[in-house]
Amino acid sequence: MIIKIEQPELFNFSECLRFLDRGYDDCLYEISEKYIIKPLVIDGEKVLVQIWEEEKSLKIEILTGNYTTDILQNTSRFVHDWFDLDRDLNPFYRLLRENNSHSFMEKKFSGLRLMGITDLFEALCWCVIGQQINLSFAHRLKRRLVENYGNSLTHNSKSYYFFPTPDVIAEIQPKELKELQFSRQKTEYLIGISRLFADGSITKEQLSEYFDTDQMRKRLKEIRGVGEWTANYVLMKSLKRMDCITFGDSGLNSSVSTLLELGRKPTRKEIEDFFKPFSGWESYFNIYLWRSLG
DNA sequence: TGCCAGGCGGACA
DNA sequence: TGTCCGCATGGC
């Protein structure tokens, strides 16, 4: 069964895949130049989907798993959310054009979308794993966690993994994670966050009912292990809030430093000023700045 | 070898 | 409220 999705204006599938790949061999999807394969849980059913581009549309095929009309519909919805297809990027591109020094981004990265991490729990765990270590090591740690504690399905004798569920991580003994080279801090944060999700203390639905981004940020920062960087990262990637800046992010610092030709780390004020013209589109500008790192 | 990595919490003034 | 420090381990 193949689902067809019309591509929105200002969309570039290759740019999106490139952003997902970046040579890190992520354990939660398989990516090639032409397609991406990802296992999903839709309405409690495990399905493996392949997404590719064909004649200006996106095609989604369910490779394995039982599916109903509802599952097809919700798979399509997932892809819309993941690739941020429902957003009109014209206003953002206008802002890029109005700021001469940034207009190169419109041409160079045209059609790049804010690739989401739909699952809030996964997004938070990924942040904790990635805190203060280099990205290649972070991906290796994530792979160890996923392959040791996540469910999987097999297709063409290949295993595709799901991110572990909160109840499973909540029960891991710290010693086990230490053996996988997780620091004591990361272990403590991961298990704590998992407990909150396992007992329903926090859910994405609940968080999305907050009045605005500031309140969501405040709520997230009450969680041990969640600081300003993680809160902003998660709000842009999972809640799709458009007004987030990942202050403290080394990649963001490096990008802003390069574009301003500072030769040093930018101050918080310099970053705030840099983002000022992009009010309401900070998250997208943040993503495009990451992309400009290469 | 030393510094840095898509930070965070806690101590201290 | 702002700043400094320890954590913990791989990559370059």
Side-chain angles (χ1 to χ4, degrees):
Chain A
M1 181 69 189
I2 294 177
I3 313 169
K4 182 176 164 184
I5 298 178
E6 291 302 328
Q7 289 185 12
E9 188 192 353
L10 304 174
F11 174 79
N12 185 321
F13 187 58
S14 311
E15 265 298 331
C16 294
L17 289 197
R18 187 192 180 287
F19 193 87
L20 286 179
D21 183 19
R22 290 178 293 162
Y24 286 119
D25 188 25
D26 197 288
C27 57
L28 295 175
Y29 41 77
E30 175 190 331
I31 212 159
S32 86
E33 259 181 51
K34 303 280 180 202
Y35 63 83
I36 180 161
I37 297 179
K38 182 170 175 61
L40 299 173
V41 179
I42 305 283
D43 299 342
E45 197 70 40
K46 287 177 187 160
V47 293
L48 186 66
V49 301
Q50 177 166 12
I51 306 167
W52 70 99
E53 183 181 39
E54 201 177 295
E55 294 164 358
K56 291 285 169 191
S57 26
L58 284 185
K59 299 284 182 74
I60 311 168
E61 180 170 10
I62 312 256
L63 298 175
T64 68
N66 300 318
Y67 48 84
T68 60
T69 317
D70 278 354
I71 287 178
L72 291 177
Q73 216 165 55
N74 288 331
T75 301
S76 167
R77 191 162 299 157
F78 176 90
V79 173
H80 273 86
D81 186 47
W82 189 20
F83 285 80
D84 202 33
L85 297 179
D86 294 333
R87 201 171 309 280
D88 175 13
L89 292 191
N90 278 302
F92 173 56
Y93 281 20
R94 267 199 294 279
L95 294 178
L96 285 176
R97 279 198 297 278
E98 284 167 13
N99 289 270
N100 252 345
S101 47
H102 306 324
S103 58
F104 74 96
M105 293 191 211
E106 185 198 2
K107 292 196 182 66
K108 266 179 104 173
F109 316 140
S110 180
L112 170 64
R113 298 271 158 169
L114 197 168
M115 300 304 298
I117 301 176
T118 303
D119 183 57
L120 176 63
F121 172 66
E122 180 193 323
L124 280 167
C125 291
W126 172 229
C127 282
V128 168
I129 293 171
Q131 283 166 6
Q132 191 55 17
I133 57 173
N134 65 70
L135 271 176
S136 60
F137 183 46
H139 279 88
R140 274 167 44 207
L141 284 182
K142 180 166 91 164
R143 179 176 289 280
R144 287 176 197 161
L145 185 73
V146 166
E147 292 184 353
N148 276 280
Y149 301 101
N151 289 315
S152 66
L153 55 76
T154 307
H155 177 68
N156 287 345
S157 60
K158 221 167 159 177
S159 293
Y160 294 88
Y161 286 91
F162 299 91
F163 195 79
T165 52
D167 55 312
V168 171
I169 299 185
E171 294 302 319
I172 300 177
Q173 294 304 310
K175 206 180 91 189
E176 300 172 39
L177 288 183
K178 190 179 166 60
E179 282 166 16
L180 300 182
Q181 284 182 293
F182 283 73
S183 69
R184 200 177 61 228
Q185 249 177 353
K186 288 190 194 303
T187 300
E188 193 186 309
Y189 296 162
L190 281 176
I191 293 177
I193 290 169
S194 302
R195 287 183 180 151
L196 292 179
F197 276 84
D199 69 18
S201 301
I202 185 162
T203 65
K204 186 173 175 179
E205 291 67 32
Q206 184 192 99
L207 191 62
S208 39
E209 283 168 12
Y210 279 72
F211 177 65
D212 61 12
T213 308
D214 278 341
Q215 291 193 6
M216 295 178 186
R217 200 179 280 123
K218 194 171 158 222
R219 169 68 186 101
L220 283 169
K221 284 166 75 174
E222 288 168 2
I223 301 171
R224 227 180 118 66
V226 178
E228 188 177 32
W229 177 82
T230 298
N232 281 307
Y233 184 95
V234 158
L235 285 171
M236 80 168 68
K237 299 282 274 188
S238 193
L239 277 295
K240 292 293 179 78
R241 304 301 297 180
M242 289 295 106
D243 49 350
C244 299
I245 305 173
T246 54
F247 288 109
D249 182 85
S250 62
L252 181 67
N253 284 340
S254 147
S255 167
V256 173
S257 171
T258 304
L259 291 173
L260 288 177
E261 300 179 353
L262 292 176
R264 58 167 171 79
K265 199 169 101 178
T267 64
R268 187 187 178 97
K269 171 112 184 17
E270 282 167 335
I271 294 196
E272 281 170 351
D273 290 344
F274 197 68
F275 272 78
K276 273 222 174 91
F278 292 89
S279 175
W281 288 94
E282 288 91 342
S283 304
Y284 256 90
F285 191 43
N286 205 125
I287 294 287
Y288 274 58
L289 288 171
W290 274 333
R291 173 64 181 85
S292 76
L293 288 168

